[in-house]
């Protein structure tokens, strides 16, 4: 988790995938430098980014925005909101975007690094009484990327000229066996690997389904689906306000990626992650004193993280079975449950 904490409508966003709607229909963004533990707590030791989404106003209003560009870029965003009766209001916002990747795959004729996603939010606010107000927000989002992002940029004869060939380095081993050079610039060019050809890596003959990186086995793909719920209640007394905020968020992510960094189908990383976070916060803030101001509060958070990483081979063919240490897939499972509890206070006297 980063030391510059991100908060959206008072809810801590500790992981980058936790919220995909941070900048959807926002009211304001505060960038705070330096330690912010009293006001924001939770890892805000270097600073904080405080984002507030827009709520319904006194009159109905909204906007619609369309953006189009090269590489099939399409981005649509809109929002509308206003009062419902005398004491309630609602606001709905959504967006959709897609774009082809910025690398052209000359092998398949397509592109690499494509992305597509959507996000939506609904916020309901109301004044139950003159002293009691509530706000309920639900948001959901999904984003998917297709095509690898990292790969060896050059693999040519210069990499092995005058040096002994290391069969454990895919680039050197590929050229030494006549499988062709490759490079990446604005296009992707792969070596001349024959379909179902054999490639000796780590001293093991390995079959390849095609001569490029871009097959169903290890063409990078990623997807993140997230949901979040926030409930806020404020009650005003004569001398102070009491504010309670409940937050729940969860996301599921999946990735399939190339980890051998060559255009050859060698190793793939399959990973899944599921994260859920629940938080409660209560604050008591003074309201009617010009000289003496104070704030007291308590915070609780529970975060559950479940990850699974599966590294597998393209399917090596050898005369005898691989030793157990080299047999795949290699599965790593990690389960983590964290709880935080804190109390805080701030007292200010104005001379």
């Amino acid at each position: 988790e980063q030391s510059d904490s991100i908060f959206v409508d008072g809810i801590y966003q500790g992981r980058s995938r936790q919220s995909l709607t941070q900048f959807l229909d926002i009211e304001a963004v505060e960038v705070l430098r330096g330690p912010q533990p009293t006001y924001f707590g939770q890892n805000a030791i270097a600073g904080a980014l405080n984002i507030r989404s827009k709520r319904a106003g006194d009159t109905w209003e909204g906007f619609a925005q369309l953006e189009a560009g090269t590489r099939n870029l399409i981005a649509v965003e809109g929002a509308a909101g206003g009062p419902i009766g005398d004491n309630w209001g609602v606001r709905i916002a959504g967006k959709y975007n897609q774009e082809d990747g910025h690398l052209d795959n000359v092998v398949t004729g397509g592109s690499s690094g494509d992305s597509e996603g959507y996000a939506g939010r609904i916020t309901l606010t109301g004044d139950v009484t003159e002293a009691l107000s509530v706000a309920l927000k639900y948001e959901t989002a999904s984003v998917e990327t297709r095509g690898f992002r990292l790969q060896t940029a050059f693999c040519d004869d210069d990499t092995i000229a005058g040096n002994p060939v290391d069969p454990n380095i895919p680039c050197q081993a590929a050229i030494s066996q006549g499988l062709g050079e490759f490079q990446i610039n604005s296009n992707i060019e792969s070596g001349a690997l024959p379909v179902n050809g054999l490639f000796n890596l780590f001293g093991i003959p390995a079959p390849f389904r095609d001569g490029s990186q871009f097959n169903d086995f290890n063409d990078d793909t990623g997807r993140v689906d997230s949901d979040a719920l926030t409930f806020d209640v404020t009650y005003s007394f004569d001398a102070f306000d009491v504010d309670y905020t409940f937050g729940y968020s969860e996301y599921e992510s999946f990735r399939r990626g190339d980890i051998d960094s060559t255009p050859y189908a060698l190793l793939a990383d399959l990973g899944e992650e599921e994260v859920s976070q629940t938080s409660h916060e209560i604050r008591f803030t003074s309201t009617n004193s010009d000289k003496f101001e104070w704030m007291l509060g308590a915070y609780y958070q529970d975060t559950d993280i479940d990850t699974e990483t599966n590294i597998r081979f393209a399917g090596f063919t050898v005369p005898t079975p691989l030793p157990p240490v080299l047999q795949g897939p290699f599965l790593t499972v990690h389960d983590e449950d964290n709880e935080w509890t804190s109390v805080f206070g701030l007292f200010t006297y104005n001379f």
Side-chain angles (χ1 to χ4, degrees):
E1 297 184 354
Q2 61 267 27
S3 57
D4 293 308
S5 299
I6 298 177
F7 295 82
V8 180
D9 294 329
I11 303 299
Y12 175 62
Q13 308 285 323
R15 304 178 73 82
S16 60
R17 300 184 182 95
Q18 194 167 351
S19 176
L20 304 177
T21 60
Q22 293 174 347
F23 294 101
L24 170 64
D25 191 32
I26 59 175
E27 177 72 28
V29 177
E30 295 177 281
V31 181
L32 305 174
R33 297 179 58 186
Q36 306 292 327
T38 301
Y39 287 104
F40 293 96
Q42 194 64 16
N43 293 347
I45 57 176
L49 181 65
N50 186 30
I51 302 172
R52 288 187 286 118
S53 59
K54 199 166 186 178
R55 295 182 176 182
D58 296 332
T59 60
W60 277 90
E61 54 85 22
F63 74 94
Q65 178 178 298
L66 172 64
E67 180 182 0
T70 58
R71 292 191 173 272
N72 293 322
L73 169 65
I74 298 176
V76 182
E77 182 175 348
I84 303 176
D86 296 331
N87 299 320
W88 293 87
V90 65
R91 188 170 182 87
I92 300 175
K95 68 177 180 179
Y96 169 83
N97 61 275
Q98 70 169 38
E99 184 178 10
D100 292 346
H102 292 269
L103 289 177
D104 294 321
N105 182 348
V106 298
V107 178
T108 64
S111 59
S112 184
D114 302 352
S115 64
E116 182 178 19
Y118 69 85
R121 175 192 299 136
I122 181 170
T123 306
L124 180 67
T125 56
D127 295 324
V128 182
T129 66
E130 291 186 0
L132 177 64
S133 62
V134 297
L136 178 65
K137 181 189 73 174
Y138 170 74
E139 56 189 13
T140 183
S142 177
V143 62
E144 182 176 359
T145 58
R146 295 176 295 276
F148 69 88
R149 301 298 178 88
L150 300 175
Q151 185 165 324
T152 302
F154 296 98
C155 180
D156 53 34
D157 289 330
D158 293 337
T159 62
I160 59 174
N163 299 307
V165 175
D166 187 346
N168 295 323
I169 300 178
C171 174
Q172 294 186 7
I175 293 179
S176 67
Q177 297 175 66
L179 299 181
E181 303 177 354
F182 66 87
Q183 65 178 353
I184 292 182
N185 40 51
S186 61
N187 293 327
I188 302 171
E189 302 174 6
S190 71
L193 257 177
V195 175
N196 296 324
L198 290 180
F199 174 45
N200 195 320
L201 181 66
F202 312 124
I204 302 172
F208 294 85
R209 278 173 259 188
D210 60 40
S212 71
Q213 173 66 41
F214 321 105
N215 52 49
D216 202 34
F217 172 72
N218 52 359
D219 186 19
D220 283 12
T221 299
R223 183 181 178 90
V224 181
D225 298 308
S226 69
D227 294 278
L229 179 69
T230 303
F231 179 60
D232 187 83
V233 181
T234 300
Y235 193 90
S236 298
F237 292 90
D238 293 336
F240 61 91
D241 289 345
V242 180
D243 185 83
Y244 166 75
T245 302
F246 166 81
Y248 176 80
S249 65
E250 64 178 15
Y251 73 81
E252 296 182 1
S253 70
F254 166 82
R255 73 178 187 279
R256 179 179 63 202
D258 164 37
I259 58 174
D260 57 71
S261 298
T262 76
Y264 309 115
L266 298 177
L267 302 173
D269 173 22
L270 308 178
E272 297 183 28
E273 182 176 72
E274 295 183 7
V275 175
S276 62
Q277 174 184 304
T278 303
S279 63
H280 305 267
E281 182 176 4
I282 187 169
R283 295 192 184 203
F284 302 83
T285 307
S286 63
T287 57
N288 66 350
S289 176
D290 294 333
K291 288 186 174 295
F292 183 64
E293 300 175 357
W294 56 269
M295 179 185 66
L296 296 172
Y299 179 81
Y300 171 81
Q301 176 182 312
D302 178 80
T303 302
D304 184 52
I305 304 172
D306 298 322
T307 62
E308 182 176 302
T309 302
N310 191 338
I311 298 177
R312 62 192 183 103
F313 297 96
F316 293 155
T317 301
V318 293
T320 58
L322 288 172
V325 71
L326 294 179
Q327 293 178 5
F330 300 99
L331 179 64
T332 302
V333 177
H334 174 76
D335 295 328
E336 180 180 340
D337 188 20
N338 299 309
E339 293 186 37
W340 292 271
T341 303
S342 65
V343 294
F344 52 89
L346 177 68
F347 302 91
T348 302
Y349 185 80
N350 302 307
F351 294 96

